[in-house]
Amino acid sequence: MPSLPPALRFILYPVIFLLGLVIIGVAMGLITLVLTYPNLPSLEALTDYRPKIPLRIFTADGFLIGEYGEERRAVVAIQDVPTVMKQAILAAEDDRFYQHGGIDYTGIVRAIGANLVGGGKRQGASTITQQVARNFFLTGEKTYTRKLYEALLSFKIESNLSKDQIFELYINQIYLGQRAYGFAAAAHIYFGKSLKDISIAEASMLAGLPKAPSLYNPVVNPNRARLRQQYVLRRMHELGYISAEQHEAALKEPLVVKREPSDYAVHAEYVAEMARQITAERFPEDIYSRGMKVYTTLIKAEQEAAYASLRKGVMDYDRRHGYRGAESYLDMKEFKSDQDEAIDEALQDIPDIGDLVPGLVLAADTKQIKVYRKGGEVLTLSGDAMKFAAKMIDDKAPPNKRLKPGAIIRLQKDDKNGWQISQLPEVESAFVAVDPKNGAIRALVGGFDFNRNKFNHVTQAWRQPGSSFKPFIYSAALEKGYGPNSVIADEPIVIPASQTGAAAWEPHNYDGRYEGPMKMRTALAKSKNMVSIRILQAIGTHYAQDYASRFGFDPAKHPPYLTMALGAGSVTPWQMVTAYSVFANGGYRINPFIVREIRDGTNQLLAQSTPNEAGEEGIRAIDPRNAFMMDSMLRDVTIFGTAAKASVALKRQDLAGKTGTTNEYNDAWFCGYQMTVVGCAWVGFDQPRKLGDRETGGAAALPIWIGYMSRALKDVPVMLPQMPEGLIAHGEGRDRSYIYAENAAREKSPEEEEKSAEPLPKPDLSAPPSD
């Protein structure tokens, strides 16, 4: 064979060598592919996609009130994803997604060029398919082996799934910060909207999150999130997804980002937690990832009314008792200026308490206060806006409470949507409402703010009921033969130490006034303590203790002493609303419940409540005649008595109930009803102490009840119970009375009752009274 010329050998040998290397490389690649591809993980996780969907709690009318699980996720079908959201994702992550086969070689070349020109690694080239492979099967480590597996998995995914299937998996699986997985969950968490309702501006901000969820989180880093959004909008415009006009409008659109991830459309955090506990007890396995749905008995509009009314009642009480000063202080030396972003970062550590937003005082004098509000706005408050806190601006104010630069205060919107100085209340409250026919809870607020105090005062707070317990003593008396017009003496009582076995007991009426003999219905309307004590003396404390158990009270919580007549036992608002339901529904005992039904991720029914309806099959607690007479007397309370403002405010005459104020004004109650709904409100301190003079049930608790009932009774016609058989009525108006038919022959006239009011019934002193 003739030898090659030296020049040709100089060219040919290197080419052959390089070609050999290429062949070897290709061969090794094929061998690797042959050996590796069959060992790639099964795509069952993709083809049988079962994401971890949290436990969700809803109102009866379908509004979300809570969700529990490590991953906050809402799965959405690709056809239900709005076009603008798809376009924003493609613009931000992979604009050639529908053209490439899993690896975007054009994108790789473009990224390499940009990185070389930019002098560093500035662009990546991971496709949406690669990200799906990584999220489902691989770790985040940056090694050649992982990149190889990622590429091979991408080819396998593209070979087995359609582009829309891959895109749908990405949209539902990708992590977007704030525990949000998937764009549907992120739309709700960041903007409080369904995915279908988001704007171009909102879609572009969400689409910017996958690159770095922490770095571009609009809650934590709003400025960086805004820069990333601007980039996505520019790409959308360059790709022709949006017009120049849409681009400009989106850039100018102000975005309202939810800063509290637990903020739902309805404030029902206490109910959500109750429902979670009930579900966990019934189904302890994997309840936070199976997509279970729990429907409560709450009605959204009524729950919102209860929440707003309780908050208003507590804040009104708090304002009546004055401003207590700065919440805490920050060192102003840490901030470069009044607009320093570090101020907002410092305020982020101080949570909002509902509508009470933290602010930092920048300057303060007797004429105006300059405040940096959490969120970036600087406010100048003067006049009425700072009037509440005026005494804490003076130099005479305590140094550790004075409003000065660095002071942390609370801001709240007033009725005219302007900001005013407020404060976190120290007092607590609770409200619960129930349907007296079946026990379904229609509204429940366990405290002023769940995130501040998770103690559920409706179900867990054992407090003295005060005079709100009197109706059960009166009902026991009716069972013993008394009637609404029976006359009892309203005069002082002294139980000497020789009879009590301890100190002498000298109870008194709330107002210190005594009016002599009066009818029972009048005494209940005026909440006369002396009459209640005399009634209890007459019927016996042990009998009354046993009788109260018919309403759901625990006898052990109500010792058989005369102080029972003044509500010295212990109850919860849950018990009280249960007990008052007996009067509202004609004498039946109901069992309140909060969960209507539980369904699994496929909407199959797992469990359902079976309430005991008041009626023929219900549990009869008291005689229907007794319930009717009690209703008559309790309506007098709301028309003529201590709760008269209820009928005035609501402009109806079918309301019934009773105020309650305990010894030393420690607790304030109002429990009342209309035939279709029963509600109970309580106000007090967690560590019992005096609410203040004149802070009675009618002053502190009744307004909360009225605020709720104004919504619950909207469009509900006035209705009164029908008198049951076996009663005979006589008299009219406030003199109207009733007697059992079997007792008609021996019933005394009102005049005879008045004459026989003395001497006092013999006291039942089987146990000493207790203060």
Side-chain angles (χ1 to χ4, degrees):
M1 176 182 283
S3 61
L4 295 172
L8 186 59
R9 288 200 305 270
F10 182 77
I11 297 172
L12 186 59
Y13 288 169
V15 170
I16 294 173
F17 178 74
L18 291 175
L19 184 62
L21 290 177
V22 169
I23 293 172
I24 293 172
V26 171
M28 290 180 65
L30 290 174
I31 292 171
T32 302
L33 180 62
V34 170
L35 295 176
T36 304
Y37 196 86
N39 295 320
L40 291 175
S42 167
L43 298 186
E44 185 178 357
L46 304 183
T47 56
D48 186 21
Y49 182 49
R50 296 184 181 182
K52 293 180 180 180
I53 303 176
L55 169 69
R56 289 194 173 93
I57 316 293
F58 298 88
T59 63
D61 38 359
F63 292 90
L64 183 67
I65 61 174
E67 58 183 353
Y68 301 88
E70 293 181 6
E71 300 179 3
R72 306 178 71 188
R73 190 194 305 275
V75 177
V76 59
I78 189 67
Q79 62 267 24
D80 296 327
V81 179
T83 300
V84 66
M85 189 71 254
K86 296 177 186 176
Q87 292 173 337
I89 296 170
L90 293 173
E93 294 296 318
D94 188 0
D95 60 277
R96 297 189 67 256
F97 171 68
Y98 282 95
Q99 283 76 51
H100 63 66
I103 303 296
D104 184 11
Y105 301 107
T106 301
I108 292 173
V109 172
R110 184 178 59 202
I112 291 173
N115 293 338
L116 289 174
V117 173
K121 187 176 180 181
R122 297 191 176 188
Q123 286 192 17
S126 288
T127 65
I128 284 175
T129 309
Q130 287 176 283
Q131 291 184 58
V132 169
R134 188 185 313 144
N135 286 329
F136 277 91
F137 303 109
L138 304 173
T139 65
E141 62 177 343
K142 296 181 179 180
T143 64
Y144 290 112
T145 302
R146 199 271 292 165
K147 292 298 290 185
L148 174 62
Y149 269 92
E150 183 180 294
L152 294 177
L153 274 169
S154 297
F155 291 136
K156 186 174 183 178
I157 291 169
E158 291 273 351
S159 300
N160 288 273
L161 278 73
S162 70
K163 284 289 187 179
D164 277 351
Q165 287 177 311
I166 298 170
F167 203 11
E168 181 179 293
L169 288 168
Y170 177 83
I171 287 171
N172 287 306
Q173 184 69 17
I174 194 73
Y175 177 64
L176 299 171
Q178 301 292 102
R179 290 179 33 238
Y181 286 79
F183 286 90
H188 172 74
I189 290 166
Y190 287 111
F191 299 115
K193 293 184 175 182
S194 296
L195 192 60
K196 63 181 177 63
D197 297 325
I198 62 170
S199 66
I200 294 173
E202 292 165 339
S204 60
M205 182 161 281
L206 293 178
L209 289 168
K211 183 177 178 63
S214 298
L215 186 65
Y216 300 121
N217 186 323
V219 174
V220 180
N221 295 306
N223 291 333
R224 289 173 177 168
R226 179 70 173 169
L227 291 173
R228 178 67 176 163
Q229 180 212 26
Q230 291 170 357
Y231 164 77
V232 176
L233 286 171
R234 184 173 69 253
R235 289 288 296 146
M236 292 178 75
H237 181 227
E238 292 171 351
L239 293 166
Y241 294 150
I242 58 176
S243 65
E245 292 77 11
Q246 290 174 312
H247 178 250
E248 287 301 315
L251 286 173
K252 295 177 182 177
E253 180 181 325
L255 295 183
V256 180
V257 177
K258 288 169 55 181
R259 309 196 76 86
E260 296 294 335
S262 61
D263 184 22
Y264 297 98
V266 187
H267 282 284
E269 296 87 348
Y270 290 96
V271 172
E273 175 59 18
M274 292 172 69
R276 183 197 68 79
Q277 292 180 16
I278 291 170
T279 307
E281 290 175 3
R282 184 73 182 271
F283 305 99
E285 299 295 328
D286 301 327
I287 69 165
Y288 304 119
S289 60
R290 293 166 52 190
M292 296 174 69
K293 291 176 286 188
V294 181
Y295 291 90
T296 67
T297 57
L298 292 190
I299 299 171
K300 176 181 182 286
E302 294 189 21
Q303 178 65 21
E304 289 178 332
Y307 175 82
S309 187
L310 183 143
R311 297 271 300 195
K312 183 179 185 303
V314 169
M315 294 306 297
D316 287 348
Y317 167 88
D318 195 67
R319 292 185 76 86
R320 288 196 296 269
H321 293 271
Y323 189 61
R324 294 183 294 276
E327 192 171 309
S328 60
Y329 293 90
L330 296 179
D331 186 355
M332 294 298 291
K333 294 178 183 178
E334 297 179 1
F335 311 120
K336 298 176 182 178
S337 69
D338 291 353
Q339 299 292 337
D340 192 340
E341 288 185 12
I343 296 178
D344 206 55
E345 291 179 7
L347 291 177
Q348 292 302 325
D349 295 331
I350 304 173
D352 296 353
I353 303 297
D355 59 350
L356 294 169
V357 181
L360 175 69
V361 174
L362 302 174
D365 58 39
T366 55
K367 293 183 179 180
Q368 65 181 30
I369 298 178
K370 189 177 180 183
V371 184
Y372 186 105
R373 178 180 66 82
K374 182 179 177 181
E377 184 180 5
V378 177
L379 308 171
T380 300
L381 306 178
S382 60
D384 289 341
M386 59 178 282
K387 184 178 180 181
F388 179 51
K391 71 176 184 178
M392 287 298 175
I393 303 172
D394 195 295
D395 290 340
K396 296 179 181 178
N400 63 336
K401 292 295 180 182
R402 187 163 60 240
L403 299 194
K404 55 188 177 183
I408 296 296
I409 64 173
R410 291 286 167 167
L411 300 166
Q412 184 182 38
K413 288 288 187 71
D414 59 22
D415 295 337
K416 298 178 181 178
N417 206 37
W419 290 102
Q420 63 178 349
I421 294 178
S422 188
Q423 67 183 349
L424 298 181
E426 294 179 340
V427 76
E428 271 294 354
S429 184
F431 180 84
V432 58
V434 68
D435 184 334
K437 291 292 189 292
N438 58 21
I441 297 294
R442 295 168 56 159
L444 186 152
V445 187
F448 181 77
D449 188 270
F450 178 79
N451 293 319
R452 183 185 177 202
N453 184 353
K454 293 177 172 55
F455 184 77
N456 190 335
H457 297 82
V458 168
T459 59
Q460 296 176 292
W462 290 92
R463 305 300 287 248
Q464 289 188 345
S467 295
S468 60
F469 194 77
K470 288 177 180 176
F472 311 108
I473 303 299
Y474 276 63
S475 177
L478 296 182
E479 196 71 10
K480 282 286 193 176
Y482 284 78
N485 276 12
S486 295
V487 177
I488 311 291
D490 176 33
E491 294 178 356
I493 294 176
V494 177
I495 308 297
S498 59
Q499 292 184 325
T500 66
W505 187 46
E506 299 183 43
H508 56 80
N509 285 332
Y510 155 72
D511 56 8
R513 298 172 54 193
Y514 304 94
E515 302 181 39
M518 63 171 55
K519 298 172 183 175
M520 277 178 60
R521 67 166 58 249
T522 304
L524 186 61
K526 293 185 176 184
S527 198
K528 291 293 188 177
N529 291 341
M530 299 304 102
V531 173
S532 297
I533 293 170
R534 281 185 165 84
I535 290 174
L536 184 56
Q537 285 178 319
I539 64 175
T541 56
H542 286 281
Y543 173 78
Q545 180 193 41
D546 180 68
Y547 186 85
S549 66
R550 301 186 185 188
F551 297 88
F553 296 115
D554 179 1
K557 297 285 187 179
H558 301 272
Y561 306 151
L562 291 179
T563 49
M564 195 193 324
L566 308 183
S570 295
V571 300
T572 64
W574 184 276
Q575 285 186 330
M576 292 296 278
V577 81
T578 303
Y580 273 79
S581 295
V582 175
F583 299 137
N585 64 30
Y588 292 96
R589 166 91 174 274
I590 50 98
N591 294 316
F593 64 101
I594 199 72
V595 171
R596 189 188 73 196
E597 64 184 33
I598 302 174
R599 294 182 175 271
D600 66 13
T602 63
N603 212 37
Q604 294 297 309
L605 185 66
L606 298 177
Q608 188 174 31
S609 294
T610 53
N612 60 312
E613 300 277 344
E616 300 248 338
E617 299 180 2
I619 302 172
R620 169 65 69 183
I622 62 174
D623 190 294
R625 298 172 297 178
N626 186 309
F628 180 81
M629 287 189 284
M630 284 305 307
D631 175 80
S632 171
M633 288 192 282
L634 289 170
R635 269 187 289 114
D636 277 7
V637 176
T638 66
I639 298 174
F640 312 111
T642 55
K645 67 174 72 171
S647 59
V648 174
L650 298 175
K651 297 180 174 59
R652 50 195 306 150
Q653 302 290 299
D654 60 344
L655 308 173
K658 184 71 185 73
T659 54
T661 309
T662 63
N663 194 34
E664 298 297 328
Y665 299 90
N666 282 350
D667 300 273
W669 296 78
F670 182 76
C671 298
Y673 62 90
Q674 191 264 358
M675 288 179 66
T676 61
V677 59
V678 183
C680 184
W682 166 84
V683 177
F685 291 99
D686 278 339
Q687 297 300 320
R689 60 186 171 94
K690 190 173 183 178
L691 288 167
D693 291 338
R694 294 185 296 279
E695 292 292 356
T696 63
L702 179 58
I704 297 173
W705 186 90
I706 292 173
Y708 166 78
M709 286 293 176
S710 64
R711 178 61 185 85
L713 297 179
K714 185 180 180 181
D715 302 324
V716 176
V718 172
M719 57 183 71
L720 296 172
Q722 295 293 318
M723 187 173 71
E725 295 182 2
L727 274 183
I728 297 175
H730 59 79
E732 297 293 337
R734 295 178 66 177
D735 292 324
R736 190 172 180 81
S737 187
Y738 307 90
I739 57 175
Y740 292 119
E742 61 268 27
N743 296 338
R746 52 189 177 84
E747 181 70 12
K748 297 180 181 179
S749 68
E751 293 77 14
E752 292 173 321
E753 287 278 12
E754 186 170 341
K755 291 178 181 178
S756 62
E758 295 290 350
L760 299 178
K762 184 178 180 180
D764 180 345
L765 297 175
S766 55
S770 170
D771 291 327

